[in-house]
Amino acid sequence: MSDSSIRTSNSVGTTSGSATGTANRTGGNRRSSTGSNQERVGTWGATLLVAEREILSQVRSKAFIISTVITLALVIGGIVLSSVLGNRAVDATPVAVVGSVPAEVTDSDALDVTAVAGRAEAEELVRAGDVDAALVPDGSAIGFSLIALDEAPEGLVSALSVSPTVELLDAAETTSGLRTLIGLAFGLVFMLAVIGSGATIMQNTVQEKQSRIVEILLAAVPARALLAGKILGNSVIGVGTAAAISAAAALGLAVTGQTELLDLLSAPLIWFVVFFVFGFVLVASVFAAGAALVSRQEDTGAVMTPAMMLVMIPYFGVVFFGDNALVMTILSYIPFSAPVAMPVRLFFGEAEWWEPVLSLGLLVAATAAVMLVASKIYTNSLLRMGSRVSLREALKAS
Amino acid sequence: MLSVRNISRSFGTHRVVDDVSFDVGRGRLTGFVGGNGAGKTTTMRMILGVLRPDSGSVTLDGEPVGQAALHGFGYMPEERGLYPKMEIGEQLAYLARLHGIDKATATQRGDDLLERLGLIERRRDKLEALSLGNQQRVQVAAALVHDPDVLIMDEPFSGLDPLAVDEVVAVIAEHAARGVPVLFSSHQLDVVERLCDDLVIIAGGKVRAAGEREALRDQYSGNRWSLEMNGDVGWVRGIPGVTVDELAGTTALFDAEPAAADAVLRSAVDRGTVTSFRPVRPTLGEIFRDIVVNAPAGAEEKVEAA
């Protein structure tokens, strides 16, 4: 046998053998790509799944549970405690009393009674500030009315077991103190809720990017579903937490019998909730888009700061310019400050009925636009690692 | 069959993937081999639709790969990534559900895979509590949990001990046996050599060689022969046209054109009993070095050997 024939037959044998084997394997086990038993998840389904994970992973974390419980306890405890302490420690309110006011009304520890001869003298004392209020007889059912300078002293009204007609000598249109307080309250609730959730969204987004799980996720679901799910999940948590805190506060007020404040807030409060939800989604989108631009937790500061500004501005705007009707009107239409400014204006009855509707429309439109932009940034920068992606690059089509 | 046709992608001015085409047959384990920065990961990301190619197309059984088809793909990225603070069983179920599997089935699939990979008793553990090798197994499971139609794995064996490599190989081979096209990259050329049916070798963003493993080895075998016989083989040196590489008593390794090799065999048969005479085919590592070293300048300099 010739040498070349050994080689030739060998090589031919090997080749044909492996070729046959291949053919068998390929043919025998071929599986149709439609044969799998899985349904394709739609964007909405994926969004819900992402939101579900987002919610569960946070709700189960010890840090979240502990901080929520502490916050709720502080809110209820604070309200109850201040009410209890307030009732006990209140100083006797100095009042001027004109002779014929029934004795059982004035016979109270909470009142420091100065007896005066007539109404004129009582008013003088009130104007001079020597007394907080004066009780003068009138023809009403309870027999007397209350004269005060610019607002009825709350301690006095609650100390009297009946509510007399209040007559203000120098009534301001709305008290500046209350205005600041309400602005502060709306602003604080909005800012705390948004910053807390915004930071969480940012952290989770960067974490997904940093840990590269985003590659696996993007292979399964579109980027906009990831974004939407993240916003939805965190909004549910944020709004839920805010609702829980409000409920706790309402409970505290109800327990201590301070229901007047609740009645007062109701209509603007409902508007606040509506604005809150959309404003929340708006800010959440900004935070998520910002987070998509960086790859590491250490770099979040650069994008966190501008996002924080967007949240802080309405807060400070309302606190500092609460008295300026023009600034407040402008703030109540700017989407980022509307969730705080519009409810404040509504609270003081300064807005026409159509104003919150228009402002809300602007807010919703802005939210939709920001989500669209955020989705684009998200899609274009989620897989970009390394240094921060510039906004211009992220907005350019990939 | 998964077909990649003329895909290219540049980042800035750097052309990372340049006109790459190859096929991954159903039921074929296809090894994707190249140095660092050769364009493997970028190519894989483009197949997965995670990155858009500048030009070219990817088709599955002739159909362009769109969102619907991508859903059935299983992907193990090079940069490992899962949620560090999520229980591994739950994590796998979540990933399966993202692929459209209902909750109960998803949980079942995740548990089955963890069982196969020896991690079932740790299913309630958070990922970060696992050793790196075990995290790697979870990562493999994450790519398989939705019973993929196509499997793309970037460096599935890095960081695994030999036993774990075998476990993972067994699981992957099982999927290939179902008729799934499997493309995997690896720096462990010995594993690739043992495991894959087909090979794609990429360097500098271009495919340098592609085809069946054995065919490639034949193609790159050159003209090297090995002779083993009873008695000394020193005489081989005297045959014209023969360059001896190694000579050790009764065995010789030499380069020769087929005609000269015939002459050697003829003489050997005349001189005694030939126990072995065969062409020596290069290992994958040798082919790889050969191809990558010959890659034109301008390609990535860093070449990681096996």
Side-chain angles (χ1 to χ4, degrees), chain B residues 79-122:
Chain B
E79 303 273 357
R80 306 299 179 232
L82 289 172
Y83 291 107
K85 292 188 193 305
M86 199 170 172
E87 292 169 12
I88 58 174
E90 199 185 1
Q91 187 145 205
L92 290 178
Y94 172 63
L95 291 172
R97 288 174 70 199
L98 283 183
H99 282 278
I101 294 170
D102 68 88
K103 196 169 180 176
T105 318
T107 311
Q108 188 56 46
R109 289 247 181 94
D111 288 352
D112 288 348
L113 271 168
L114 289 178
E115 177 102 60
R116 283 290 312 274
L117 294 165
L119 288 170
I120 188 68
E121 67 280 7
R122 309 204 59 177

Side-chain angles (χ1 to χ4, degrees), chain A residues 2-4 6-7 10-11 14-15 18-19 21-22 25-26 29-41 46 49-54 56-57 60 204 207-208 210-222 226 230 379-380 383-385 397-398, chain B residues 1 26-29 45 48 50-52 60-61 67-68 70-72 75 77-86 90-91 94-95 97-101 103 109 139 142 146-149 176-180 197 212 218 225 258 261-263 265-266 277 279 281:
Chain A
S2 88
D3 314 333
S4 58
I6 296 175
R7 196 171 55 243
N10 263 352
S11 77
T14 317
T15 311
S18 89
T22 307
R25 245 168 101 183
T26 317
N29 294 308
R30 193 184 164 91
R31 185 176 76 146
S32 146
S33 61
T34 53
S36 65
N37 56 347
Q38 36 192 273
E39 300 278 312
R40 172 162 148 57
V41 202
L49 271 173
V50 173
E52 180 191 315
R53 197 205 79 86
E54 205 69 31
L56 284 182
S57 70
R60 283 193 203 144
N204 288 357
Q207 186 214 33
E208 277 177 8
Q210 190 170 13
S211 78
R212 312 290 179 116
I213 191 176
V214 71
E215 281 190 44
I216 297 182
L217 297 177
L218 284 186
V221 296
L226 268 185
K230 210 167 274 298
T379 311
N380 288 341
L383 287 172
R384 301 276 298 271
M385 299 296 167
S398 68
Chain B
M1 184 165 72
R26 282 196 174 273
R28 305 285 286 176
L29 285 169
R45 284 184 176 164
L48 263 303
V50 169
L51 204 64
R52 203 171 306 155
L60 181 62
D61 299 325
Q67 267 299 323
L70 279 177
H71 233 71
Y75 179 37
E78 180 185 24
E79 303 273 357
R80 306 299 179 232
L82 289 172
Y83 291 107
K85 292 188 193 305
M86 199 170 172
E90 199 185 1
Q91 187 145 205
Y94 172 63
L95 291 172
R97 288 174 70 199
L98 283 183
H99 282 278
I101 294 170
K103 196 169 180 176
R109 289 247 181 94
Q139 195 81 48
H146 58 285
D147 219 354
D149 295 324
R178 286 194 297 125
V180 173
D197 303 302
E212 241 180 281
D218 282 342
W225 308 86
D262 285 351
L265 181 58
R266 223 173 273 122
F277 181 80
R281 291 189 302 173

Side-chain angles (χ1 to χ4, degrees), chain A residues 165-178:
Chain A
T165 316
V166 176
E167 196 179 308
L168 295 179
L169 295 175
D170 187 16
E173 258 182 46
T174 35
T175 55
S176 159
L178 186 61

Side-chain angles (χ1 to χ4, degrees), chain B residues 12-259:
Chain B
T13 54
H14 184 45
R15 206 168 174 83
V16 178
V17 172
D18 189 6
D19 199 27
V20 162
S21 302
F22 59 87
D23 293 327
V24 183
R26 282 196 174 273
R28 305 285 286 176
L29 285 169
T30 302
F32 196 26
V33 183
N36 294 336
K40 299 190 298 288
T41 299
T42 307
T43 305
M44 284 181 160
R45 284 184 176 164
M46 286 192 281
I47 294 174
L48 263 303
V50 169
L51 204 64
R52 203 171 306 155
D54 294 335
S55 60
S57 64
V58 180
T59 58
L60 181 62
D61 299 325
E63 298 290 319
V65 171
Q67 267 299 323
L70 279 177
H71 233 71
F73 281 39
Y75 179 37
M76 177 164 175
E78 180 185 24
E79 303 273 357
R80 306 299 179 232
L82 289 172
Y83 291 107
K85 292 188 193 305
M86 199 170 172
E87 292 169 12
I88 58 174
E90 199 185 1
Q91 187 145 205
L92 290 178
Y94 172 63
L95 291 172
R97 288 174 70 199
L98 283 183
H99 282 278
I101 294 170
D102 68 88
K103 196 169 180 176
T105 318
T107 311
Q108 188 56 46
R109 289 247 181 94
D111 288 352
D112 288 348
L113 271 168
L114 289 178
E115 177 102 60
R116 283 290 312 274
L117 294 165
L119 288 170
I120 188 68
E121 67 280 7
R122 309 204 59 177
R123 59 182 295 273
R124 298 297 310 260
D125 284 4
K126 287 180 179 162
L127 184 79
E128 60 186 0
L130 269 55
S131 70
L132 280 179
N134 281 340
Q135 292 189 13
Q136 181 85 339
R137 292 180 207 214
V138 177
Q139 195 81 48
V140 172
L144 299 172
V145 71
H146 58 285
D147 219 354
D149 295 324
V150 175
L151 200 46
I152 311 283
M153 308 184 99
D154 206 351
E155 297 287 341
F157 309 114
S158 72
L160 290 179
D161 65 48
L163 287 178
V165 168
D166 288 345
E167 274 171 27
V168 172
V169 165
V171 177
I172 295 178
E174 214 169 86
H175 280 267
R178 286 194 297 125
V180 173
V182 180
L183 179 70
F184 68 97
S185 73
S186 179
H187 283 136
Q188 281 153 285
L189 295 179
D190 56 326
V191 178
V192 177
E193 183 146 35
R194 182 153 57 90
L195 185 61
C196 71
D197 303 302
D198 296 325
L199 263 178
V200 177
I201 300 180
I202 186 169
K206 289 187 165 91
V207 172
R208 303 292 169 185
E212 241 180 281
R213 181 187 57 185
E214 293 309 311
L216 271 183
R217 288 180 63 183
D218 282 342
Q219 188 188 330
Y220 283 85
S221 62
N223 286 306
R224 175 171 279 206
W225 308 86
S226 141
L227 169 70
E228 212 176 314
M229 62 181 295
N230 61 344
D232 188 76
V233 291
W235 52 267
V236 172
R237 254 192 281 247
I239 309 281
V242 170
T243 319
V244 174
D245 291 327
E246 251 179 73
L247 204 57
T250 58
T251 61
L253 201 59
F254 60 94
D255 287 321
E257 291 296 312

Side-chain angles (χ1 to χ4, degrees), chain A residues 41-354:
Chain A
V41 202
T43 304
W44 179 238
T47 301
L48 288 182
L49 271 173
V50 173
E52 180 191 315
R53 197 205 79 86
E54 205 69 31
I55 293 170
L56 284 182
S57 70
Q58 274 187 61
V59 167
R60 283 193 203 144
S61 85
K62 283 199 188 77
F64 178 83
I65 296 171
I66 293 172
S67 74
T68 308
V69 168
I70 289 178
T71 312
L72 293 182
L74 279 180
V75 168
I76 298 182
I79 290 174
V80 171
L81 205 67
S82 75
S83 156
V84 169
L85 290 180
N87 280 350
R88 191 187 303 151
V90 82
D91 285 336
T93 312
V95 288
V97 176
V98 177
S100 60
V101 171
E104 66 266 21
V105 174
T106 56
D107 186 18
S108 159
D109 288 345
L111 302 184
D112 178 9
V113 177
T114 309
V116 290
R119 184 182 168 114
E121 195 180 338
E123 279 187 19
E124 209 164 292
L125 283 175
V126 169
R127 280 189 208 282
D130 292 343
V131 294
D132 286 355
L135 300 179
V136 296
D138 67 357
S140 70
I142 60 167
F144 67 95
S145 62
L146 191 150
I147 300 174
L149 189 63
D150 52 6
E151 60 178 329
E154 197 161 324
L156 180 60
V157 177
S158 59
L160 299 167
S161 45
V162 289
S163 11
T165 316
V166 176
E167 196 179 308
L168 295 179
L169 295 175
D170 187 16
E173 258 182 46
T174 35
T175 55
S176 159
L178 186 61
R179 184 179 261 282
T180 310
L181 196 72
I182 295 292
L184 205 68
F186 282 145
L188 205 64
V189 169
F190 184 67
M191 191 182 71
L192 284 182
V194 164
I195 287 182
S197 301
T200 310
I201 290 176
M202 197 163 253
Q203 192 186 336
N204 288 357
T205 306
V206 177
Q207 186 214 33
E208 277 177 8
K209 215 177 153 179
Q210 190 170 13
S211 78
R212 312 290 179 116
I213 191 176
V214 71
E215 281 190 44
I216 297 182
L217 297 177
L218 284 186
V221 296
R224 60 177 187 282
L226 268 185
L227 174 75
K230 210 167 274 298
I231 293 172
L232 179 66
N234 282 288
S235 300
V236 167
I237 291 182
V239 174
T241 312
I245 291 175
S246 314
L251 184 72
L253 290 174
V255 164
T256 55
Q258 304 175 48
T259 44
E260 316 86 14
L261 199 56
L262 286 182
D263 296 342
L264 205 58
L265 279 173
S266 58
L269 202 61
I270 290 167
W271 274 112
F272 179 57
V273 168
V274 175
F275 273 96
F276 181 94
V277 170
F278 285 99
F280 192 97
V281 173
L282 176 70
V283 179
S285 314
V286 171
F287 273 80
L293 295 175
V294 297
S295 327
R296 288 184 303 267
Q297 299 283 7
E298 305 90 272
D299 297 340
T300 45
V303 289
M304 188 90 169
T305 312
M308 290 289 253
M309 298 295 255
L310 287 177
V311 183
M312 302 289 249
I313 286 169
Y315 175 66
F316 286 115
V318 172
V319 171
F320 291 137
F321 298 102
D323 289 334
N324 188 325
L326 179 67
V327 174
M328 279 301 277
T329 308
I330 294 172
L331 281 177
S332 68
Y333 284 103
I334 297 174
F336 284 99
S337 52
V340 178
M342 189 51 91
V344 171
R345 290 187 62 214
L346 286 167
F347 182 82
F348 293 107
E350 294 165 1
E352 297 290 326
W353 65 269
W354 52 266

